[in-house]
Amino acid sequence: MFLQQLLNGLTAGAVYALIALGYTMIYGILGLINFAQGEIYMFGAFVAVLLLGTGQVNFFVAFAAGMAAAAILGVVLERVAFRPLRGSHPLVPLISAIGASIFLQSLALLLFGPNDRPFPIQFNFRTITIAGLPLSSLQGAILVAALGLMVLLLLFVRYTRYGKAIVACALDQDTARLMGINVDRMVALTFLIGSALSGAAGIMMAIYYNATYPRMGLLPGLKAFSAAILGGVGNIPGAILGGVLLGVAESLGAAYVSSGYKDAIAFAILILVLLFRPQGILKGRGD
Amino acid sequence: MTLLAVNELSKYFGGVKAVDGVSFGVDHGEIVGLIGPNGAGKTTCFNLISGLLTPTRGSVSLLGHSLGGLAPYYRSRRGLARTFQNIQLFGGMDVLENVLTGCHQRQEIGAFRALWPGRGVRRAETRAEERARELLALVGLAERADFPADALAYGEQRRLEIARALAQEPRLLMLDEPAAGLNSRETEDLMTLLQELRERGITLLIIEHDMTLIMGLCHRVVVLDHGQVIAAGPPSEIRRDPRVIEAYLGREEDDGDL
Amino acid sequence: MSAYFLHLAILGGIYIILAISLNLIIGYAGQVSLGHAAFFGIGAYISALTSLYWGFPFLLAALSAILFSGVCGLLLGLPTLRLKEDYLAIVTLGFGVIVDLVFLNLEITGGPDGLAGIPSPRILGLSFRSPVMYLFLTLFMVLLTLALTYRLVHSYHGRALRAIRDHEVTAQVMGINTPAYKVAIFTLAAALAGLAGSLYAHYITFINPESFGLHTSILALCMVVLGGMGSIAGAVVGALALTVLPELLRSFKAYQDLIYGGLLVALLIWRPEGLLGRGKLSLKFISRE
Amino acid sequence: MLTLKSVQAGYGKLTVLKGISFHVRPGEVVTLIGGNGAGKSTTLRAVSGLLPLWRGVVEFNGADLTRLPPERIVTLGLALVPEGRRIFASLSVTANLELGAFHRRDQRQARRDLEEIRERFPLLKERASQPAGTLSGGEQQILAICRALMSRPRLLMLDEPSMGLAPRMVNQVYKILRELKDEGTTLLLIEQNARAALKLADRGYVLETGRIILDGSAAELREDPEVQRAYLGKGYREVWE
C-alpha cells in the first residue's frame, strides 16, 4: 500500500516536474510567473487527443504534434501577452498572464466543449508484480519518458551554446547582449522549450487519467508552480526535485491524512516552505 | 563626542571584498568626507551603515548604541538620514508631499487618530507642512511645492532629496555624491547650501568626487581604496598624502612593470 | 424600479466593497492577492454560521465576519508580506484554494451543499428583507467603506503607503516601517472583504463554496484592473461595469470568460492605467541601472 | 576605424554626454580619461549600443552603428569589457569564455581559440569548471577580458579594468593589455588609473562633465598639469599644489 502510493506520487510528481521546468526557466529569464502554463499543458493534450481521434496518425506522431502545438502556443503567448509589457511593474505581466490563462481556458471550452474526452487509443498495459508490488507499466512508461525529457533538458542547458546563452540572459541581460546574444530570441526559445515540456506533461496525464478537459491544466499548473518555488525558482534541478517531492507528499497525504484535502497539500507545503526557507530547498536565483 | 562609529566593517560579494575592515568615526557637528576612486566601496559603506545591506563582519553604532541587525526604518528613527547617488524621489507625489514623507517618523500619528483627525492631528499636520515649506525655502524650492516631483529639473531633484532627508531631523545626514550630474552653477549653489547646513551644526558624512567641495567643506576626510581605509585626516594632510594621489592616479612604481 | 435592476444594484454594491478592498492591497501595498475571494467567503460563512447557530443579530454577525476575516488576513499577511510580489500572489492563491477546500470538506459549512436559510437582517426592529431596504443597507455600507478608504488614503498614513508603493527602499530609509504598513493594509483589506461577504450571505440567504473560489478572486482582480489599479473611483466603476456587463452580454454567456481574459491582457497593453487610474503604478518603468 | 561625431546621450533628465567627437585608428591604443561623472562609461555604453544616442553618429569601419542593438554591434568586431567586469557568476569559467564567442559562425575555430587562451592563462584552465563568481576580483577581470577576446574583436573597449583591484592585480591586468597592444590589437581604454593608462596608450582624450577638453599624444598628456586638474575634479589645483 505504502509503496503503491509512493509510486503513484512519483508518477504525478514527474509530470509536475515537467511543468515546473517551464515555470522555472521562464521565471529565471523574465522574472515572470506564466500563469497560463497549465493551459498550454491542456492544449498539448487536446491536440494529441484530437489528432489520434482522427485515426490518421500513430501515437508518436500525435505526441510530437501535441508538444509542437504547445510550443507554438507558448511562443505566441509570449509575443502577444508578455513582450509588450516588458519593463513595467512586475504586477502587470503577472496579471496579464492570469488574463491569458482565463482566455485560453474559455477558448478551449468553446472549441472542445466542457466534457471529458477519453484518450482515443487503449494501451494494453499490464500490471507486473515485483516483490508483491503491483507496478503498472503505464506508470513505468510515464516515469521513463518524463525522466528522459528532463535529462535532455539538463544536457541542453549545460552543454549547448543556446542552453548557456539562456542562462546568461537569466543572469545579466545587458552583458548577454554584449556577447552578441539576442535576448528576445532566447526568451522565445525558453518559452518554446518550457511549453513543449508542459505539452508533453499534458499528454501523459491525459493517458494516465484517461481524460482531457478544458480545466485540466488549472491545478497541475498551480501545483507545478509551487514545485518550482519549492525547489528554488530559476533552479532547474530544483524544479525536478520540487515536483517529485510535491507529487509524493500529495499522494501520501491523500492516502494517510485526508483525501478531501488532497489538492490543499501542495499549497500548504508551499506556504510552509516560503515561510521558513523562501529561497527554496535548493538555492534559487532570487537570493 | 563620537556620533557614528564604524568598526571593522566588511562586506564580501562572492570572491570580491567590496568593503574590507573599514573603521572610522564621525563626531558631533563634524563634516566628514568619504572619498576614493570608483569601486572603492564608498556606496557599499553607506548601504551598510543605513541598513540596506547586512555586513559580512563588523559593526556600526550611533551614540554608542549598536545598530547591528536593525532594519533601515529603525536606523532612521535613531537619527540616520541619507540621499542616493541616483536620486530616488517619490515620483507619484508632489514636491511638498515628498518632504512631508520625511517628516513621517517625527509625527507618530496613530491609526484611528489619523482617520478621524482631531485638532491635535490637524495641528501636527500643519506644523509638519510649515516645517516642510521652510526646508523647501532653505533649498530654494519654495516656488515648486506643488510641482510633481517628476517634473523637476535634475539639479532641483537633488536639492529636493536633501530637503526630504533634512525633514527627518537627522543626527547624521549622509549624502551620496550630491554634486554628481550638476553643472558648475548648481554645484556652487550646493556648496552654499551645505555651508549653511554646517553653520546650523548638522553633522554630515559626504561621498563626493568634487575635490573643491570636499576640501572646502570637510573637517576630516576618510579615503577608501579597494575596500580599505588608506588615509584619514584633515584635508590639509590628505591633500599631501602620496597614497591618496596614488589611489586616484595610479602608482608611480607601477610604471616600472609596464 | 424593476426587481432585476435592484438585484444588480445590490450585487454591484457588494462587489464595490470587495473591489475597493482588493485595490487597497494592489494599489497601496503594491502586492497582488489572488485569493481575495477567500476572505469574502470567510466573511460570508462566519456571518451565516453565527446567525444560524448562535442567533447573532445581523450587525453582530457582520462584525464577527469583519473581525474574523481581518484576523485571517493578519495571520496570512504577517509571515508572507515580506515575500516578493509574485510569491505573495501564489501564496494567496494557494490560500484561496485551501479555504475553498475547507468550506467544501467541513461538516459545519454544509460541504458542497452549503448553508441555506440565512436570515435577512433586522436592525433596531427594522427588517431589510425587501430588496429596496437591502439596497439602502448596501449603499450605506458602500458609503462607509468609501469614506474610510478616502480618509485613509488622504491621511498621514496614506502618504506613507504611497511612498511605499513608489519606492519601498527609500520609504524605509525615511523611517517608514514598511512591513507593518503592508500587514496593516492587508488586514484591513481582508476585513473589508469580510464585510462584503457578510452582506452577500444575508442578501442571497444561501451560500455554497462555488461563490468563493478562484473565479471570484479573478473577477475581483478584473474589476480593479479595469477601473485602474490604485484608484478608488476606478474600483467603483470596475465593479459596476463587471456586474452589469455580463447581463448585457447575456446572449454571449459562453464568451464571457473569453472576453474577460482578453480584456485583461488588452487593457494592460493599451491602457495599463485602467479606465480611471492615473497610471502611476502601471507605467512606472524599472530603470536599467 | 571608430569615429564618434558630436554624440549626445544620458539617462532620463540627465544629459551626460554633451557632444563628444573622437576617433580611433587601427592598431592604436587610445584612452579616455577624466574625473568621475565626466561621462567615460556612458561613452562606451553608447558606442556598444547599450545606451541609445540622443544625437550624433557613431561609425565603425564605415558601418553606421547609431541605431544598431548591442548584439549586432559585437558581430561587427567591437567588443566591450564592461565596468565592474559583469562575468556570469554562476556559470563556469569555461562557459563564460564560450559565451564570448556566442555570435561567431566559425565555432570550430572558436574552440581552438578557447584552447589557446587557456594555454596562455593557466588560471582559466585550472579553474575551468569552477563557477566564475568564486574568482577574486582580479581573476574575474582577466576572465572578462578573455571573454571579450573570444569574440575576436577588431577593437577591444575596456571600461576601467583596474577598478577596485589591488595594485598587484592592476599590474597583471596591464601586463595583459601591454601584450595585446604588442600583438597589434586596437584598444579603447577608459581609466581612472591615469598613470597606467597614459603609459600604455598612444593617444588620449580628457573628458570633463560630458565634453572633451583636451587631446593629444599620451606623452604630452602625461606632462600636462591640466590633466591632473581635470582628473581629480574641479579645484584640483588649489587642493594638490
Side-chain angles (χ1 to χ4, degrees):
Chain A
M1 169 68 178
F2 173 77
L3 286 174
Q4 183 59 56
Q5 289 300 337
L6 189 70
L7 197 63
N8 291 349
L10 278 177
T11 312
V15 174
Y16 293 159
L18 278 183
I19 316 172
L21 285 171
Y23 272 115
T24 223
M25 288 176 70
I26 290 169
Y27 191 90
I29 200 164
L30 280 186
L32 163 83
I33 302 178
N34 178 13
F35 263 100
Q37 199 80 16
E39 277 57 53
I40 289 170
Y41 157 103
M42 173 264 297
F43 264 96
F46 262 109
V47 168
V49 165
L50 291 173
L51 273 180
L52 276 177
T54 61
Q56 307 284 314
V57 296
N58 77 23
F59 172 72
F60 294 101
V61 174
F63 198 102
M67 278 178 78
I72 293 168
L73 181 62
V75 173
V76 170
L77 196 66
E78 190 268 323
R79 255 341 270 269
V80 175
F82 303 131
R83 196 176 294 181
L85 300 173
R86 233 184 271 169
S88 46
H89 190 285
L91 287 185
V92 174
L94 180 71
I95 296 170
S96 177
I98 295 167
S101 160
I102 305 169
F103 182 86
L104 290 175
Q105 216 181 89
S106 44
L107 185 69
L109 200 65
L110 287 174
L111 291 176
F112 311 131
N115 299 327
D116 284 15
R117 282 166 196 249
F119 205 76
I121 45 174
Q122 292 295 316
F123 294 95
N124 221 344
F125 281 119
R126 273 175 312 174
T127 309
I128 338 160
T129 313
I130 304 170
L133 172 69
L135 176 73
S136 133
S137 49
L138 171 60
Q139 285 182 328
I142 289 178
L143 277 172
V144 168
L147 204 68
L149 285 171
M150 289 177 216
V151 170
L152 275 180
L153 178 76
L154 281 174
L155 292 176
F156 169 79
V157 169
R158 192 148 295 173
Y159 296 108
T160 66
R161 252 172 96 216
Y162 283 95
K164 287 174 215 164
I166 286 178
V167 179
C169 290
L171 291 172
D172 182 344
Q173 297 203 355
D174 269 1
T175 309
R177 299 182 79 189
L178 288 176
M179 306 291 111
I181 299 168
N182 184 326
V183 174
D184 281 347
R185 241 180 254 168
M186 291 306 131
V187 169
L189 181 62
T190 306
F191 269 84
L192 186 102
I193 295 170
S195 305
L197 292 178
S198 298
I203 302 169
M204 289 175 191
M205 279 315 225
I207 302 172
Y208 191 51
Y209 290 120
N210 196 21
T212 312
Y213 52 99
R215 289 173 65 85
M216 70 184 276
L218 187 68
L219 279 175
L222 298 178
K223 288 175 189 169
F225 185 73
S226 306
I229 291 183
L230 192 64
V233 99
N235 181 323
I236 290 178
I240 297 174
L241 183 67
V244 171
L245 280 180
L246 266 196
V248 170
E250 188 177 278
S251 172
L252 295 181
Y256 295 106
V257 184
S258 154
S259 61
Y261 289 103
K262 177 169 181 268
D263 290 329
I265 290 166
F267 297 108
I269 292 175
L270 168 77
I271 293 174
L272 289 177
V273 166
L274 283 176
L275 296 190
F276 297 109
R277 204 178 152 77
Q279 70 274 42
I281 297 173
L282 305 181
K283 254 190 174 178
R285 197 182 66 105
D287 68 303
Chain B
M1 186 173 90
T2 305
L3 177 64
L4 176 80
V6 174
N7 196 8
E8 284 297 313
L9 202 59
S10 301
K11 179 71 184 177
Y12 303 161
F13 296 105
V16 180
K17 298 176 174 179
V19 173
D20 191 13
V22 166
S23 304
F24 65 89
V26 180
D27 287 348
H28 250 301
E30 212 185 7
I31 299 192
V32 175
L34 190 59
I35 67 168
N38 261 350
K42 300 172 304 261
T43 297
T44 309
C45 264
F46 263 33
N47 287 340
L48 290 168
I49 295 170
S50 55
L52 298 180
L53 286 176
T54 318
T56 312
R57 274 190 298 114
S59 65
V60 178
S61 54
L62 196 70
L63 287 167
H65 297 286
S66 170
L67 298 178
L70 280 189
Y73 38 89
Y74 290 126
R75 295 183 189 217
S76 157
R77 283 163 191 231
R78 296 274 177 93
L80 284 184
R82 68 168 291 182
T83 64
F84 294 87
Q85 196 176 333
N86 42 339
I87 307 169
Q88 300 196 342
L89 295 171
F90 301 116
M93 300 183 187
D94 64 33
V95 167
L96 182 70
E97 281 180 308
N98 263 281
V99 183
L100 284 172
T101 315
C103 301
H104 179 91
Q105 50 168 324
R106 301 277 168 239
Q107 285 180 273
E108 295 284 358
I109 300 174
F112 292 99
R113 287 181 52 215
L115 289 183
W116 285 278
R119 205 187 300 151
V121 173
R122 277 201 299 270
R123 213 184 300 143
E125 282 279 301
T126 320
R127 258 204 315 275
E129 199 181 312
E130 274 167 17
R131 167 135 183 82
R133 286 190 191 277
E134 262 170 49
L135 288 169
L136 283 177
L138 176 71
V139 301
L141 290 174
E143 320 266 87
R144 292 274 195 266
D146 301 327
F147 275 51
D150 278 348
L152 292 189
Y154 191 81
E156 293 177 320
Q157 293 194 352
R158 280 245 178 258
R159 275 180 283 146
L160 173 55
E161 212 189 11
I162 294 175
R164 188 180 62 182
L166 285 172
Q168 292 173 256
E169 298 175 29
R171 292 197 168 97
L172 174 68
L173 175 57
M174 308 198 290
L175 302 172
D176 193 349
E177 295 199 30
L182 302 189
N183 62 33
S184 41
R185 265 260 346 254
E186 290 171 326
T187 307
E188 270 169 39
D189 292 347
L190 179 73
M191 277 282 282
T192 319
L193 172 63
L194 295 182
Q195 255 145 11
E196 167 93 34
L197 296 185
R198 182 166 79 166
E199 274 149 35
R200 294 184 176 204
I202 292 173
T203 314
L204 293 171
L205 179 61
I206 309 179
I207 295 178
E208 188 45 70
H209 285 283
D210 188 322
M211 292 302 152
T212 322
L213 196 147
I214 287 288
M215 297 299 166
L217 209 62
C218 295
H219 299 107
R220 236 153 31 82
V221 178
V222 176
V223 190
L224 286 186
D225 195 19
H226 31 85
Q228 297 178 328
V229 175
I230 58 162
S236 53
E237 277 174 30
I238 291 296
R239 72 179 66 170
R240 280 193 294 272
D241 194 323
R243 283 170 302 177
V244 178
I245 302 182
E246 243 169 46
Y248 273 85
L249 283 170
R251 282 185 165 200
E252 205 68 69
E253 66 261 39
D254 286 354
D255 300 5
D257 281 289
L258 296 175
Chain C
M1 244 191 292
S2 79
Y4 184 61
F5 178 82
L6 269 175
H7 171 71
L8 281 187
I10 292 167
L11 273 187
I14 292 170
Y15 281 122
I16 284 174
I17 298 176
L18 186 66
I20 286 178
S21 71
L22 179 59
N23 199 19
L24 285 176
I25 299 178
I26 295 179
Y28 291 95
Q31 304 272 4
V32 70
S33 164
L34 296 181
H36 209 53
F39 299 115
F40 185 53
I42 289 170
Y45 271 98
I46 290 295
S47 201
L49 287 170
T50 50
S51 336
L52 286 174
Y53 290 95
W54 293 337
F56 275 19
F58 170 74
L59 284 181
L60 197 56
L63 195 66
S64 318
I66 291 170
L67 286 177
F68 200 85
S69 300
V71 169
C72 288
L74 179 70
L75 291 180
L76 182 68
L78 216 45
T80 54
L81 278 161
R82 59 198 161 95
L83 302 173
K84 281 176 57 188
E85 302 84 359
D86 23 19
Y87 283 23
L88 186 85
I90 203 88
V91 165
T92 49
L93 193 145
F95 176 74
V97 172
I98 292 172
V99 168
D100 207 29
L101 286 171
V102 169
F103 293 152
L104 205 62
N105 283 293
L106 280 187
E107 222 163 279
I108 192 165
T109 56
D113 300 334
L115 299 169
I118 302 163
S120 290
R122 289 186 76 83
I123 301 168
L124 301 171
L126 207 60
S127 165
F128 288 86
R129 183 180 288 275
S130 83
V132 181
M133 289 302 282
Y134 209 91
L135 180 63
F136 282 124
L137 179 66
T138 310
L139 275 181
F140 177 74
M141 294 298 184
V142 168
L143 287 176
L144 206 64
T145 308
L146 278 174
L148 178 79
T149 46
Y150 182 87
R151 285 301 319 159
L152 175 71
V153 168
H154 290 87
S155 76
Y156 159 83
H157 297 296
R159 198 161 55 225
L161 287 166
R162 278 180 295 151
I164 294 171
R165 182 183 69 183
D166 270 8
H167 239 300
E168 192 168 338
V169 170
T170 314
Q172 290 204 357
V173 172
M174 295 289 109
I176 295 171
N177 188 338
T178 51
Y181 269 106
K182 283 178 154 185
V183 170
I185 203 79
F186 196 79
T187 305
L188 176 68
L192 280 176
L195 169 66
S198 169
L199 280 173
Y200 181 83
H202 291 270
Y203 172 61
I204 304 284
T205 70
F206 160 74
I207 53 173
N208 70 2
E210 257 174 47
S211 317
F212 311 109
L214 184 60
H215 186 83
T216 308
S217 290
I218 286 177
L219 180 70
L221 183 69
C222 286
M223 291 170 176
V224 171
V225 175
L226 179 70
M229 293 178 269
S231 148
I232 296 177
V236 175
V237 171
L240 287 178
L242 289 193
T243 316
V244 175
L245 197 66
E247 304 305 328
L248 296 178
L249 295 175
R250 228 173 202 190
S251 44
F252 300 98
K253 188 101 185 147
Y255 299 93
Q256 190 180 311
D257 275 358
L258 196 74
I259 292 169
Y260 282 178
L263 193 70
L264 213 50
V265 177
L267 210 62
L268 288 168
I269 294 174
W270 286 295
R271 202 175 154 76
E273 66 274 32
L275 295 179
L276 295 183
R278 283 174 305 161
K280 291 300 182 206
L281 179 75
S282 354
L283 291 179
K284 199 174 73 188
F285 279 77
I286 299 158
S287 73
R288 296 204 67 127
E289 287 291 312
Chain D
M1 190 175 204
L2 177 73
T3 314
L4 273 76
K5 288 180 199 150
S6 24
V7 166
Q8 293 186 20
Y11 308 88
K13 274 190 176 9
L14 178 64
T15 314
V16 179
L17 304 182
K18 299 163 183 164
I20 300 257
S21 304
F22 69 88
H23 62 272
V24 181
R25 286 187 287 261
E28 256 188 335
V29 175
V30 173
T31 184
L32 293 183
I33 55 179
N36 199 271
K40 297 169 299 185
S41 293
T42 309
T43 309
L44 288 201
R45 284 176 65 83
V47 172
S48 62
L50 286 174
L51 189 71
L53 299 189
W54 292 355
R55 246 183 229 158
V57 182
V58 180
E59 275 174 16
F60 182 63
N61 281 337
D64 181 5
L65 305 186
T66 312
R67 304 237 164 274
L68 289 185
E71 59 266 26
R72 288 273 303 122
I73 289 176
V74 66
T75 63
L76 298 175
L78 200 59
L80 171 66
V81 181
E83 182 182 359
R85 308 178 282 272
R86 304 280 283 264
I87 47 122
F88 299 112
S90 63
L91 286 175
S92 71
V93 168
T94 304
N96 267 277
L97 291 172
E98 286 167 345
L99 282 167
F102 178 83
H103 66 90
R104 284 172 60 175
R105 293 189 194 285
D106 52 341
Q107 286 293 315
R108 206 168 287 158
Q109 180 60 40
R111 270 194 291 281
R112 281 198 288 275
D113 289 357
L114 177 68
E115 270 323 303
E116 217 171 274
I117 280 185
R118 290 211 283 202
E119 288 308 320
R120 193 164 157 187
F121 301 101
L123 161 85
L124 302 179
K125 196 168 190 175
E126 286 155 24
R127 311 279 182 88
S129 52
Q130 208 170 310
T134 61
L135 300 184
S136 78
E139 292 165 345
Q140 289 184 10
Q141 188 65 59
I142 293 173
L143 174 61
I145 293 172
C146 291
R147 181 179 65 181
L149 288 177
M150 284 295 293
S151 74
R152 285 224 166 172
R154 290 198 268 177
L155 169 59
L156 180 63
M157 305 187 286
L158 299 114
D159 193 342
E160 302 210 11
S162 71
M163 183 171 109
L165 301 189
R168 197 174 52 81
M169 289 315 291
V170 174
N171 284 347
Q172 215 167 327
V173 167
Y174 267 84
K175 216 175 114 214
I176 296 170
L177 297 183
R178 166 66 46 139
E179 285 168 18
L180 291 175
K181 177 186 175 172
D182 293 343
E183 289 159 19
T185 314
T186 313
L187 300 176
L188 174 57
L189 176 66
I190 272 182
E191 257 306 357
Q192 59 189 10
N193 201 327
R195 282 188 180 137
L198 288 174
K199 192 85 186 168
L200 179 73
D202 301 311
R203 285 193 304 119
Y205 294 88
V206 182
L207 263 81
E208 189 174 278
T209 52
R211 288 200 177 82
I212 289 177
I213 55 159
L214 266 181
D215 68 86
S217 76
E220 283 165 27
L221 292 178
R222 261 204 305 269
E223 302 308 321
D224 195 329
E226 189 72 359
V227 171
Q228 302 206 327
R229 188 199 68 75
Y231 212 68
L232 286 163
K234 288 159 260 176
Y236 167 75
R237 195 169 289 152
E238 307 91 86
V239 175
W240 256 282
E241 277 170 16

